[in-house]
């Protein structure tokens, strides 16, 4: 395969790989849709031509969909069946990548970051980008081979390197320079390196008391009605909401019918008879078994197993059979099993073991059943449009369900699961409208738009629990701090150690003589920046705290610290530096990108598309 053909086939890996490394790989020209001049002059954004506008640059729906399709192809290539959740995740990923790509490209242009031909040649020779290093043409035994790469680079066949050079010049090197520009502010001191080493390699031995919310009487932290109301009134902006919709709906589950079960049972009976008449069991298993573990080549072999490993109906039938017997069909929640008992033995503990093979036939929903369910839903939809939703539900003997206060960004419907098309119906219809059939993998459904709630602030009743949790959390922090301070006064006043404390509240977590590194975190306390900072600065014998943790407050008595191994520190120094640099680089880039997003003018028209 030619070099460029190989690279073209791997281009999607190239592009997204570079994105992950903060070296954006898409050129913005392909993403920018043609904007209508009148719309631009009037400040309008036409959703028919523009799915996003980012600082006056338009993204076309077609290009957004291409990126979504790329994401979904990766799902399919992994052997998964695409569902609504995958689609939503793909849309979110594509959107995030577009926003990042456009904003970063705009910054590259603003900073005037470009590349010369000489720089392209230098990077190709000395700093080949990841997509070249990952190309099999340049690898030996799965690793990048620099000499092989340079040999191919020095002997081009035609103009195969021209697209690579163009990509390097227009995208890769300018973004590489941007990364260097950002990295200039990263400073790693000797103190940073020592702290990183201490956290990873030095052992701390502590005693501790951890006061969590479980040690605080629930009634003392329960918010009063006046506190709830005051919190609500002071934070109304937190509860602003867009337009809401309430829908009624009826659904038909895509599950096997009685006929489907009978058809599977009949096939199971037929295969059982064929196996008993002498046909090779393994051949029948490879042809008919739907057990994912069989993979068409294991002959249904289950290997040796003891009681307790298989579902109960299977186990009872198999262990009561004789060696050589064909048992079945046996029905379980997985379907119908036909079992060939090949051998039995008793292990050294007296437990019976069995060697068996089986054929599994799943009870699947047939095309006929699906067609009948869809026909029932269609007739209901027609009836609901002609006679009314309630009347149709009565005549068709189906139950009406309600999903209240549906948000436009929602993706699921109660009891049905992911069903974005139902949400779209709700926000594209008038009150009283009946939908056509909507469906997902498990259900057909018909919806009715019952009511519309205009934009505003969520009522107090709707957010009361959220307010309660918020206030309760603050009160618990205050209470755990007070209790920890009371313990500290008792300890210091009586010159006690934490280990010698008696009659401690059983609801307070005690940590005794525990040794961990700071990256590991201590029992109950887990990781806490306050704890880490205090321990690094402490000496054995120090009593620390109260220190805030995720769950409350802790008092810590530092018992011992293992020696600082200066020799090992020197050995690890470069690795530590790389780790710190990578962490700071990621944090810096994300902070920088978040700042760009907060200042950007972004129009999101995704709601007009599935």
């Amino acid at each position: 395969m030619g070099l460029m053909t190989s690279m073209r086939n791997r281009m999607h890996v190239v592009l997204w790989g570079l994105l992950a490394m903060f070296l954006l790989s898409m050129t913005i020209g392909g993403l920018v849709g043609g904007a209508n001049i009148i719309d631009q002059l009037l400040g309008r954004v036409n959703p028919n031509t523009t799915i996003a506008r980012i600082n006056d640059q338009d993204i076309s729906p077609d290009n957004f969909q291409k990126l979504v399709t790329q994401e979904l192809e990766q799902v399919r290539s992994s052997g998964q069946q695409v569902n609504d959740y995958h689609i939503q995740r793909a849309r979110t990923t594509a959107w995030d990548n577009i926003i990042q790509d456009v904003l970063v490209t705009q910054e590259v242009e603003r900073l005037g970051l470009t590349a010369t031909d000489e720089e392209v040649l230098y990077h190709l020779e000395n700093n080949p980008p990841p997509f070249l290093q990952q190309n099999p043409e340049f690898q030996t035994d799965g690793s990048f081979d620099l000499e092989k790469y340079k040999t191919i680079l020095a002997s081009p066949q035609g103009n195969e390197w021209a697209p690579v050079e163009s990509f390097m010049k227009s995208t890769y090197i300018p973004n590489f320079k941007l990364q260097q520009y950002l990295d200039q502010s990263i400073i790693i001191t000797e103190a940073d390196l020592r702290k990183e080493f201490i956290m990873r390699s030095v052992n701390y031995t502590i005693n501790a008391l951890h006061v969590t919310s479980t040690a605080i009487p629930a009634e003392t932290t329960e918010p009063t009605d006046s506190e709830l109301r005051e919190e609500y009134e002071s934070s109304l902006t937190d509860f602003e909401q867009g337009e809401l919709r309430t829908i009624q709906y009826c659904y038909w589950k895509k599950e096997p019918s009685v006929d489907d079960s009978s058809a599977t049972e009949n096939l199971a009976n037929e295969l059982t008879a064929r196996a008993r008449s002498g046909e090779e069991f393994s051949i029948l298993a490879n042809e008919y078994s739907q057990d994912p573990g069989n993979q068409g080549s294991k002959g249904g072999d289950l290997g040796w197993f003891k009681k307790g490993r298989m579902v109960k109906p299977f186990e009872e039938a198999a262990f009561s059979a004789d060696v050589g017997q064909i048992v079945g069909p046996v029905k379980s929640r997985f379907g119908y099993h036909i079992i060939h008992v090949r051998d039995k033995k008793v292990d050294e503990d007296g437990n019976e073991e069995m060697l068996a093979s089986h054929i599994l036939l799943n009870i699947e929903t047939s095309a006929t059943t699906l067609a009948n369910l869809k026909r029932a839903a269609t007739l209901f939809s027609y009836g609901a449009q002609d006679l009314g939703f309630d009347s149709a539900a009565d005549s068709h003997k189906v139950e009406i369900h309600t999903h209240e206060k549906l948000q436009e960004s929602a993706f699921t419907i109660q009891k049905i699961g992911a069903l974005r098309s139902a949400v779209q119906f709700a926000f594209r219809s008038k009150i009283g409208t009946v939908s056509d059939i909507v469906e997902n993998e498990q259900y057909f459904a018909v919806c009715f738009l019952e009511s519309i709630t205009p934009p505003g602030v969520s009522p107090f009743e709707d957010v009361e629990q959220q307010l309660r949790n918020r206030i309760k959390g603050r009160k618990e922090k205050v209470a755990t701090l007070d209790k920890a301070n009371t313990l500290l006064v008792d300890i210091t006043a009586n010159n006690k150690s934490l280990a010698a404390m008696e009659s401690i509240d059983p609801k307070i977590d005690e940590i005794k003589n525990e040794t961990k590194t700071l990256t590991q975190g201590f029992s109950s306390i887990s990781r806490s920046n306050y704890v880490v900072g205090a321990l690094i600065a402490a000496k054995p014998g120090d009593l620390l705290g109260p220190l805030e943790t995720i769950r409350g407050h802790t008092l810590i008595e530092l018992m011992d610290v293992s020696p600082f191994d200066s020799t090992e520190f020197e050995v690890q120094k470069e690795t530590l530096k790389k780790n710190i640099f990578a962490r700071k680089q990621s944090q810096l880039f994300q902070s920088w990108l978040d700042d760009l997003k907060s200042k950007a003018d972004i129009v999101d028209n995704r709601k007009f598309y599935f």
Side-chain angles (χ1 to χ4, degrees):
M1 179 181 290
L3 171 64
M4 287 313 302
T5 301
S6 173
M7 285 193 289
R8 288 190 191 102
N9 290 340
R10 293 169 56 82
M11 191 52 67
H12 67 283
V13 177
V14 170
L15 298 180
W16 296 115
L18 293 177
L19 272 170
M21 298 176 64
F22 313 125
L23 300 173
L24 304 186
S25 57
M26 296 183 296
T27 57
I28 194 63
L31 290 173
V32 178
N36 182 289
I37 299 299
I38 300 300
D39 285 341
Q40 286 188 339
L41 291 175
L42 297 179
R44 300 184 310 212
V45 180
N46 183 354
N48 291 320
T49 60
T50 306
I51 198 168
R53 175 170 291 173
I54 308 165
N55 294 333
D56 297 325
Q57 285 192 296
D58 289 355
I59 308 301
S60 72
D62 285 346
N63 281 292
F64 173 74
Q65 187 56 46
K66 287 177 184 177
L67 299 183
V68 172
T69 300
Q70 275 187 348
E71 293 293 321
L72 296 179
E73 283 303 317
Q74 292 184 28
V75 174
R76 293 188 182 96
S77 65
S78 68
Q80 301 180 70
Q81 185 175 356
V82 171
N83 56 36
D84 280 353
Y85 287 111
H86 292 129
I87 294 171
Q88 179 70 355
R89 186 175 62 186
R91 284 166 54 83
T92 300
T93 300
W95 178 262
D96 290 343
N97 285 335
I98 283 176
I99 299 297
Q100 177 174 307
D101 185 45
V102 173
L103 290 177
V104 173
T105 301
Q106 289 174 350
E107 279 299 291
V108 167
E109 293 174 355
R110 186 185 70 79
L111 294 170
L113 301 176
T114 59
T116 64
D117 292 341
E118 290 75 15
E119 287 174 320
V120 171
L121 180 60
Y122 174 83
H123 278 272
L124 282 175
E125 290 181 342
N126 301 285
N127 186 32
F131 75 88
L132 291 177
Q133 296 188 34
Q134 293 165 6
N135 193 296
E137 297 286 339
F138 307 133
Q139 294 185 350
T140 299
D141 297 329
S143 298
F144 178 65
D145 188 327
L146 182 60
E147 293 305 315
K148 179 188 288 188
Y149 167 77
K150 287 187 174 181
T151 299
I152 298 175
L153 180 66
S155 54
Q157 304 295 318
N159 66 342
E160 61 182 355
W161 285 93
V164 178
E165 292 171 359
S166 175
F167 171 74
M168 296 285 287
K169 189 170 186 176
S170 66
T171 305
Y172 181 82
I173 296 176
N175 283 288
F176 181 81
K177 288 183 176 181
L178 174 64
Q179 178 178 315
Q180 289 186 314
Y181 171 80
L182 295 175
D183 290 349
Q184 287 177 0
S185 61
I186 298 177
I187 299 173
I188 300 174
T189 65
E190 183 75 8
D192 291 331
L193 294 171
R194 290 180 67 87
K195 180 179 178 180
E196 187 79 5
F197 179 79
I198 288 171
M199 290 181 62
R200 292 173 177 270
S201 304
V202 174
N203 287 318
Y204 285 75
T205 302
I206 67 167
N207 292 323
L209 298 177
H210 189 204
V211 184
T212 67
S213 59
T214 57
I216 307 301
E219 61 273 13
T220 64
T221 59
E222 190 64 30
T224 64
D225 290 342
S226 61
E227 286 174 329
L228 290 168
R229 285 288 178 182
E230 183 179 346
E231 181 76 18
Y232 177 70
E233 295 296 335
S234 65
S235 55
L236 290 176
T237 56
D238 294 346
F239 306 116
E240 291 178 352
Q241 64 181 23
E243 189 175 87
L244 303 176
R245 304 286 174 111
T246 295
I247 63 170
Q248 292 182 328
Y249 59 95
C250 298
Y251 62 78
W252 294 258
K253 188 172 183 180
K254 299 176 181 179
E255 58 186 357
S257 65
V258 173
D259 288 343
D260 294 333
S261 182
S262 296
T264 305
E265 184 179 13
N266 291 338
L267 177 58
N269 284 323
E270 177 190 331
L271 294 177
T272 301
R274 289 169 62 180
R276 286 172 177 166
S277 68
E279 286 195 46
E280 184 65 39
F281 192 91
S282 61
I283 294 175
L284 290 174
N286 286 338
E287 183 176 354
Y288 290 98
S289 183
Q290 294 171 296
D291 184 349
N294 188 60
Q295 299 177 341
S297 60
K298 294 177 62 177
D301 181 26
L302 296 172
W304 287 95
F305 57 89
K306 299 176 183 179
K307 289 184 178 180
R309 273 194 53 196
M310 304 299 178
V311 289
K312 191 173 182 179
F314 182 105
E315 184 177 279
E316 289 178 347
F319 277 94
S320 62
D322 297 325
V323 173
Q325 188 174 347
I326 304 294
V327 183
V330 177
K331 189 177 181 181
S332 77
R333 67 176 185 271
F334 297 108
Y336 285 95
H337 305 264
I338 305 162
I339 310 165
H340 180 203
V341 180
R342 293 154 53 197
D343 200 359
K344 290 184 178 182
K345 66 180 180 181
V346 178
D347 67 14
E348 56 187 17
D349 297 322
N351 298 312
E352 187 177 8
E353 291 187 69
M354 172 177 292
L355 177 65
S357 301
H358 86 142
I359 299 170
L360 171 64
L361 300 178
N362 298 323
I363 303 173
E364 297 178 331
T365 309
S366 67
T368 300
T369 297
L370 289 174
N372 289 337
L373 289 170
K374 189 170 185 178
R375 180 174 178 274
T378 301
L379 292 175
F380 172 84
S381 177
Y382 292 157
Q385 293 176 42
D386 293 339
L387 306 173
F389 206 75
D390 290 342
S391 296
D394 286 341
S395 62
H396 286 260
K397 294 181 172 54
V398 291
E399 184 179 356
I400 294 177
H401 304 272
T402 302
H403 188 127
E404 297 181 335
K405 299 176 181 178
L406 189 64
Q407 297 181 348
E408 191 170 11
S409 60
F411 205 72
T412 61
I413 302 297
Q414 294 166 3
K415 299 181 182 295
I416 291 179
L419 191 57
R420 176 65 184 169
S421 52
V423 179
Q424 288 184 312
F425 157 76
F427 282 89
R428 295 180 183 178
S429 305
K430 296 179 180 179
I431 292 177
T433 303
V434 176
S435 76
D436 294 327
I437 294 175
V438 292
E439 65 174 300
N440 59 16
E441 289 180 322
Q442 293 183 296
Y443 298 94
F444 293 110
V446 176
C447 305
F448 171 77
L449 181 55
E450 182 181 30
S451 65
I452 298 175
T453 303
V457 176
S458 298
F460 172 81
E461 294 74 19
D462 289 356
V463 297
E464 183 176 359
Q465 189 58 48
Q466 186 177 342
L467 293 165
R468 189 177 303 278
N469 293 340
R470 183 189 294 184
I471 298 171
K472 191 175 179 66
R474 288 203 301 262
K475 284 189 166 186
E476 286 174 349
K477 282 291 185 182
V478 172
T480 57
L481 177 59
D482 288 345
K483 195 170 187 70
N485 273 319
T486 300
L487 289 170
L488 179 62
V489 169
D490 185 21
I491 292 167
T492 53
N494 295 286
N495 197 25
K496 299 178 180 178
S497 69
L498 293 189
M501 288 287 289
E502 298 177 357
S503 302
I504 293 292
D505 186 337
K507 294 181 179 179
I508 295 176
D509 295 339
E510 294 185 62
I511 298 96
K512 291 188 176 181
N513 206 38
E514 183 170 287
T515 301
K516 294 281 184 67
T517 64
L518 298 181
T519 55
Q520 292 174 315
F522 297 96
S523 299
S524 177
I525 297 172
S526 190
R527 291 290 306 276
S528 163
N529 290 333
Y530 297 104
V531 170
V532 169
L535 284 173
I536 287 178
K539 303 184 299 294
D542 285 353
L543 180 61
L544 311 172
L547 303 171
E548 186 175 338
T549 68
I550 295 175
R551 300 169 57 221
H553 287 82
T554 184
L555 299 174
I556 295 178
E557 185 177 26
L558 180 57
M559 306 301 294
D560 187 46
V561 182
S562 65
F564 183 93
D565 190 334
S566 56
T567 302
E568 184 62 23
F569 173 62
E570 292 299 325
V571 171
Q572 294 187 24
K573 215 169 189 179
E574 282 306 310
T575 300
L576 294 170
K577 189 171 184 179
K578 289 178 181 178
N579 291 337
I580 296 172
F581 183 85
R583 185 169 64 245
K584 288 191 173 185
Q585 185 185 58
S586 177
Q587 293 168 347
L588 175 65
F589 179 84
Q590 193 57 55
S591 175
W592 176 81
L593 183 62
D594 288 344
D595 184 59
L596 286 182
K597 289 179 180 178
S598 68
K599 296 175 180 176
D601 183 12
I602 300 175
V603 176
D604 183 355
N605 279 337
R606 280 179 295 171
K607 66 183 180 182
F608 296 103
Y609 299 86
F610 178 71

